Amino acid sequence: MKHPSEEELVLHYYEECDQPEWLREHLRQCDQCREVFEEISQVLELTANSPAPERDASYAAAVWSRLAPKLPEPAPAKRWFRWPNMALAAAAVAVALVIFQPHPEAPAPVEQATAVNRGAVLRMEVASHLEESERFLLEVMNSEDSHHTEWAEDLLHSNRLLRQTAATRDMEDMGGVLEELELALTEAAHPDGGGPAEHFDGPEILFRVRAVGARLSDQEVIYANAF
Amino acid sequence: VPSSDLQIVKEVRAGDREAFRLLVDRYSHRIFRLGYRMTGNEDDAEEVVQETFLRGYKSLHKYDGRASFGTWAFRIATNYALDLLRSRQRHPEASTDDQAEPAAEALQERLAASGEIRSRYQAALGLLSEKERSAFLLRHHEGMSIPEAGAMLGLSDSATKHSVFRAVQKLRQALAPFVGSTVNGVRL
């Protein structure tokens, strides 16, 4: 007769074993396993009844009174496409574009180092852009309303600039996700037409954006340590 | 009509700091119990509660609403409690709580025995590895499924199952004297 392992008996107690019917039937027939199961059940019931100290109904208010003074002022509403933020984003992209202009007169070692720095700056810009895009995608996916076109337009504009810049620098790893993101943003910016015919796959593009964004953020740390 | 967690989070993000209080009302008791069971100490549990809400508030932009705020906050609480335990191991100091519940003179024998079980239980929890303790507490006391507990701890289902099983094994050893025992004819 095949007997269940003790691990299966523990899972059975929690009603999470893979073969509950078989196990129930087995326990009916097998005294040895039933005895072990009953012992496990007793131990777990003893511990289940072990109380944590209770807090009374005013506890949450006490927690709040201690917590509230420590909470920082709320950040400004996250609709980052407000004009001052847009101006900052545009300035960042412009700075990145200027940095990426070639400097043929620079000595070779400096040029090499500068090229690495330019790549690092672009990656930081893209990482920041992907982070904002991730927020946007989550908002779109979680929100019941669909008033995100203005935000999408702003992101789309930045996305195009960054994608084109990445293409001129042969940074294919970033170019791929920016291309996919651009399709999604185009659709989000033009929900009633003008975008791709098929609805974009939110979770899929979100996964890609997160994955590439996380990798770029890791590289930021490496670059920050290197320079 | 009670607001959903996500709705409250949106209000906080929009600048209504006071709305965060609703989440404190909703989850502080549970987080305290989790913190207590993780650390075995009321003072540490209070610290877990405060830090969980503070960290949660500061990283609210990362909350995506896929799970309840409680589940998300539990992850923060679990991680913080584990940090606290590690820190205690590195810098051992006298516990301010010492599991010394008031030695209630008036307790009947059964309650006294229950107190001993509780002490043994807390001591046994202290013998578990971090993974075992976290997985067991989330499964056993918080009622999370194996996949839910695993997702919170960043463990696979099989690793979570194994951690729970190992925890149960150790608890069986620690509590064996109490299993099936009676005090004055009362089964514990």
Side-chain angles (χ1 to χ4, degrees):
Chain A
M1 181 190 286
K2 179 180 175 256
H3 296 276
S5 67
E6 289 193 5
E7 185 167 331
E8 286 173 304
L9 292 175
V10 170
L11 291 174
H12 183 60
Y13 175 85
Y14 290 122
E15 301 180 347
E16 290 202 64
C17 73
D18 294 334
Q19 302 170 288
E21 291 301 326
W22 170 78
L23 219 152
R24 251 191 297 276
E25 186 55 34
H26 181 84
L27 290 177
R28 266 195 287 273
Q29 296 171 4
C30 177
D31 293 344
Q32 187 188 345
C33 288
R34 190 168 58 247
E35 195 175 315
V36 174
F37 180 69
E38 283 174 1
E39 190 231 324
I40 288 171
S41 302
Q42 282 182 36
V43 168
L44 292 175
E45 277 156 25
L46 277 179
T47 59
N49 294 331
S50 174
E54 277 303 319
R55 291 296 187 252
D56 63 22
S58 65
Y59 179 61
V63 170
W64 177 251
S65 68
R66 289 194 298 272
L67 182 70
K70 299 179 190 167
L71 298 182
E73 283 301 310
K78 74 183 196 97
R79 297 185 67 87
W80 74 291
F81 54 80
R82 285 174 174 182
W83 286 108
N85 289 337
M86 271 192 67
L88 280 177
V93 171
V95 167
L97 289 173
V98 169
I99 288 173
F100 302 133
Q101 293 305 310
H103 297 280
E105 69 281 6
V110 174
E111 187 174 85
Q112 191 178 10
T114 308
V116 175
N117 273 314
R118 285 178 200 151
V121 172
L122 178 59
R123 285 175 193 280
M124 284 161 56
E125 287 296 328
V126 174
S128 171
H129 171 70
L130 292 180
E131 191 180 325
E132 289 295 343
S133 298
E134 181 183 333
R135 281 186 216 153
F136 168 79
L137 290 167
L138 284 170
E139 186 75 24
V140 169
M141 289 161 66
N142 290 323
S143 170
E144 289 172 3
D145 62 53
S146 57
H147 305 297
H148 300 100
T149 53
E150 200 177 345
W151 191 358
E153 282 279 12
D154 295 331
L155 282 171
L156 185 58
H157 179 66
S158 301
N159 197 85
R160 281 194 183 118
L161 286 172
L162 290 169
R163 179 179 56 75
Q164 288 162 3
T165 309
T168 62
R169 300 280 151 194
D170 290 330
M171 291 174 165
E172 292 169 1
D173 55 335
M174 291 187 292
V177 72
L178 291 173
E179 271 180 30
E180 289 178 40
L181 183 55
E182 194 162 314
L183 291 174
L185 292 172
T186 302
E187 183 177 345
H190 306 286
D192 300 324
E198 294 188 6
H199 193 70
F200 71 88
D201 184 347
E204 174 66 23
I205 185 65
L206 181 62
F207 175 79
R208 290 268 293 138
V209 165
R210 275 183 173 160
V212 177
R215 185 160 48 79
L216 291 174
S217 295
D218 288 345
Q219 288 173 354
E220 269 186 47
V221 175
I222 294 169
Y223 285 124
N225 291 335
F227 297 102
Chain B
V1 179
S3 301
S4 70
D5 288 355
L6 185 57
Q7 185 57 41
I8 294 171
V9 167
K10 283 181 177 176
E11 287 170 17
V12 179
R13 282 174 178 164
D16 182 2
R17 186 169 64 171
E18 194 69 18
F20 195 67
R21 182 177 186 154
L22 296 171
L23 297 173
V24 174
D25 287 346
R26 210 168 269 184
Y27 294 109
S28 54
H29 282 81
R30 286 186 65 194
I31 292 173
F32 172 78
R33 284 197 293 271
L34 176 67
Y36 178 79
R37 289 196 164 106
M38 292 284 291
T39 63
N41 179 305
E42 288 190 48
D43 289 341
D44 285 347
E46 292 289 1
E47 191 175 331
V48 169
V49 172
Q50 285 289 313
E51 276 298 317
T52 297
F53 283 115
L54 190 57
R55 292 179 181 199
Y57 180 88
K58 287 179 177 172
S59 55
L60 215 51
H61 61 282
K62 294 180 184 168
Y63 174 65
D64 61 15
R66 291 183 188 185
S68 76
F69 178 85
T71 302
W72 187 72
F74 265 39
R75 188 175 301 137
I76 298 173
T78 304
N79 289 334
Y80 184 73
L82 290 175
D83 287 346
L84 208 55
L85 290 172
R86 286 179 203 130
S87 156
R88 294 278 186 271
Q89 282 168 356
R90 281 195 298 273
H91 307 288
E93 58 190 46
S95 164
T96 53
D97 193 27
D98 256 349
Q99 300 168 2
E101 288 302 301
E105 301 111 29
L107 286 181
Q108 300 298 316
E109 279 189 61
R110 179 180 175 181
L111 291 178
S114 296
E116 192 178 341
I117 291 172
R118 182 175 162 185
S119 295
R120 286 257 193 147
Y121 178 44
Q122 283 298 336
L125 285 177
L127 298 175
L128 306 182
S129 72
E130 288 174 2
K131 275 185 198 170
E132 291 163 358
R133 180 194 287 228
S134 310
F136 175 75
L137 291 175
L138 293 176
R139 179 65 195 87
H140 192 60
H141 287 295
E142 301 306 331
M144 292 183 187
S145 67
I146 293 286
E148 285 169 341
M152 183 165 294
L153 298 170
L155 298 175
S156 66
D157 286 0
S158 63
T160 310
K161 281 179 191 172
H162 193 63
S163 294
V164 171
F165 170 62
R166 293 277 303 157
V168 173
Q169 269 190 321
K170 291 179 183 176
L171 292 173
R172 283 171 68 194
Q173 286 172 4
L175 298 175
F178 299 100
V179 173
S181 62
T182 60
V183 173
N184 285 354
V186 179
R187 188 181 171 90
L188 293 173

